[in-house]
Amino acid sequence: MATTKNIIELSENDVDKAFRRKQIYDAVFKKGIVDFSAISTLSKDLRNQLSQKFHILEVNEVVRKESIDGTVKFLFRLSDGKCVEAVFLIDKNNHVTFCISSQVGCRMGCVFCKTGTMGLIRNLSAAEILSEVLYLYHFMTTEKGLKDQLFNIVYMGMGEPLDNFDNVMESISLITNPTFFGLSPSRITISTCGLIDRIEPAMQRFPTLRFALSLNHSIQEEREKIMPIARKFSLDEIAARLKDLYAKFKNRFTLEYVLIKDVNMSKKEIDALQRFRHQAFHINLIPLNHSDDQVKRPEEKEISRFMQELEKRHFCVTRRYRRGADIDAACGELCYRENSNAQDFS
Ligand code: SAH
Ligand code: SF4
């Protein structure tokens, strides 16, 4: 594969007629075909030629796990043997979301997150990110039988997307390019731990792109204890910068708040959240998905109390229900160890 070219590079010289190129792109990006030999509108010769010169996917499915709630988690192997995970989510109204990774591991070291324990192994290329989307699309159209189905994409898998800025931007250009998926940027959400200096450049390029910022604590010193990046970008800066961006782009931000027992759920933290009670923000509560020695998931009644208190104070707040919990596909559960057996991946 290393000597063949990527599908993105398909040029006029490779396929002489524009309508042939369109046939190929339609097969891949509309029908979800990921194998040249299955493109029945092309001659056998051309299919062979293309298979020798190009490959469609940069990811290979190694393992998949299916949850009882319809969530499916895939482990993908990349060409250098490193692995990442991506998750297919579907709700009861058949709304589909692809949760994709942007890095192998992550260097941000948030204490509550399993991906953080891996450290950064490497960035994904734009073609690898596009391939995750292609593969999930292929799964949706061919295996789930959901043809012509719209989907949303969240960069909430492994990695910090804004720490791999250029490749992530390039991947969004490809995904939104009418020749490929032509997806609207407003269907794409980037979740960041708070690299706020990179949000504006991204919005300048894609003004309707959505952003979720992982706030997770409302008190500066305490946030620093659970999210090392907080030392670089303070809550004061986050609040001010995002309000400015809202004034400029009229694009609301989601603030993700992972609820951790005895860490960020008391009245003190609710009081300190006050500065985020603003039309620029919508708060999404995510009860911690696992408990370990350092952090604990709150009880159901604590979660409801916290949410009710925010509602009472007129915050715009929702709760994220746990998806794929039985297969460790929920937020912050994505972690793959290099030497672990693929059978054991969790
Ligand atoms: N690096 C980006 C995107 C990946 S993490 C970011 O931090 O935003 C995606 C979301 O999962 C973030 O909101 C993060 O706060 C949350 N998360 C991480 N670990 C979690 C856990 N153990 N339980 C629940 N949510 C978690
Ligand atoms: Fe990285 Fe996001 Fe996990 Fe923090 S929460 S370690 S930024 S993936």
Side-chain angles (χ1 to χ4, degrees):
M1 280 298 177
T3 54
T4 58
K5 292 196 275 178
N6 196 282
I7 181 85
I8 302 163
E9 298 165 36
L10 199 66
S11 73
E12 242 170 273
N13 302 335
D14 302 304
V15 184
D16 54 352
K17 297 201 170 57
F19 82 88
R20 285 249 171 272
R21 273 210 315 283
K22 184 162 181 338
Q23 276 178 320
I24 298 168
Y25 285 133
D26 279 356
V28 176
F29 294 99
K30 292 210 167 65
K31 298 201 184 110
I33 297 176
V34 289
D35 182 355
F36 287 114
S37 63
I39 308 183
S40 55
T41 46
L42 304 178
S43 71
K44 213 159 174 212
D45 273 359
L46 184 56
R47 286 187 241 167
N48 283 341
Q49 269 176 42
L50 288 169
S51 320
Q52 279 161 20
K53 241 173 141 178
F54 292 97
H55 55 277
I56 296 178
L57 291 175
E58 301 268 338
V59 298
N60 268 312
E61 179 185 337
V62 195
V63 187
R64 83 170 60 170
K65 284 190 175 181
E66 308 209 27
S67 162
I68 41 164
D69 67 15
T71 304
V72 185
K73 181 168 82 161
F74 295 91
L75 179 69
F76 292 135
R77 181 161 289 133
L78 309 167
S79 56
D80 62 354
K82 306 269 184 283
C83 290
V84 289
E85 295 174 353
V87 186
F88 174 89
L89 298 135
I90 184 160
D91 71 10
K92 54 184 184 312
N93 301 316
N94 269 3
H95 290 143
V96 171
T97 304
F98 301 162
C99 175
I100 57 170
S101 295
S102 55
Q103 297 180 313
V104 184
C106 178
R107 66 187 174 116
M108 298 298 155
C110 306
V111 300
F112 46 84
C113 172
K114 284 196 189 166
T115 308
T117 63
M118 297 171 71
L120 177 63
I121 296 167
R122 75 164 172 87
N123 283 331
L124 294 193
S125 67
E128 286 170 332
I129 298 171
L130 176 70
S131 284
E132 293 180 72
V133 178
L134 255 174
Y135 196 85
L136 294 173
Y137 185 74
H138 162 75
F139 171 76
M140 176 175 85
T141 48
T142 60
E143 295 194 42
K144 287 274 166 193
L146 296 168
K147 307 215 186 289
D148 302 319
Q149 162 87 28
L150 268 171
F151 56 92
N152 294 312
I153 297 179
V154 293
Y155 284 72
M156 287 187 192
M158 288 164 72
E160 166 50 47
L162 296 185
D163 190 35
N164 181 15
F165 188 80
D166 292 344
N167 295 348
V168 165
M169 289 300 111
E170 180 57 23
S171 70
I172 296 171
S173 289
L174 292 168
I175 294 164
T176 55
N177 183 335
T179 308
F180 299 124
F181 285 111
L183 196 74
S184 160
S186 63
R187 290 193 167 271
I188 304 178
T189 302
I190 294 211
S191 177
T192 175
C193 62
L195 304 183
I196 42 168
D197 57 335
R198 308 212 176 141
I199 296 179
E200 184 159 13
M203 282 188 149
Q204 266 157 358
R205 221 164 139 184
F206 305 104
T208 59
L209 185 64
R210 302 199 174 276
F211 278 89
L213 189 132
S214 302
L215 196 67
N216 300 339
H217 215 296
S218 54
I219 300 169
Q220 178 60 25
E221 309 79 67
E222 300 301 319
R223 190 168 185 262
E224 289 177 17
K225 289 184 195 157
I226 57 169
M227 300 182 72
I229 191 67
R231 287 181 224 132
K232 187 156 180 212
F233 297 108
S234 68
L235 286 169
D236 289 344
E237 253 181 298
I238 292 176
R241 192 75 80 90
L242 296 189
K243 284 176 192 171
D244 281 353
L245 287 174
Y246 174 74
K248 203 161 162 183
F249 292 93
K250 291 284 169 286
N251 196 347
R252 287 174 94 204
F253 293 93
T254 298
L255 298 175
E256 294 164 295
Y257 198 94
V258 177
L259 296 170
I260 313 174
K261 191 178 172 69
D262 300 331
V263 170
N264 60 3
M265 300 183 65
S266 72
K267 184 173 176 300
K268 219 168 59 196
E269 281 91 37
I270 296 177
D271 290 343
L273 266 176
Q274 188 58 29
R275 68 166 120 186
F276 291 103
R277 199 175 66 77
H278 183 277
Q279 56 189 358
F281 305 119
H282 161 250
I283 298 186
N284 193 216
L285 303 177
I286 317 172
L288 188 77
N289 282 323
H290 67 270
S291 293
D292 59 27
D293 294 348
Q294 286 198 52
V295 284
K296 301 261 173 292
R297 181 182 168 89
E299 280 139 43
E300 219 26 64
K301 60 175 191 301
E302 297 174 282
I303 300 171
S304 313
R305 205 183 306 130
F306 190 86
M307 181 150 174
Q308 280 161 12
E309 193 52 43
L310 291 190
E311 282 168 343
K312 224 162 68 195
R313 297 185 187 200
H314 307 290
F315 278 91
C316 178
V317 58
T318 49
R319 169 178 176 181
R320 185 177 307 164
Y321 281 89
R322 217 174 179 187
R323 311 278 304 160
D326 55 332
I327 55 164
D328 287 346
C331 293
E333 300 279 274
L334 302 181
C335 173
Y336 172 77
R337 298 252 166 245
E338 191 92 355
N339 356 339
S340 73
N341 184 323
Q343 303 291 320
D344 303 331
F345 101 103
S346 62

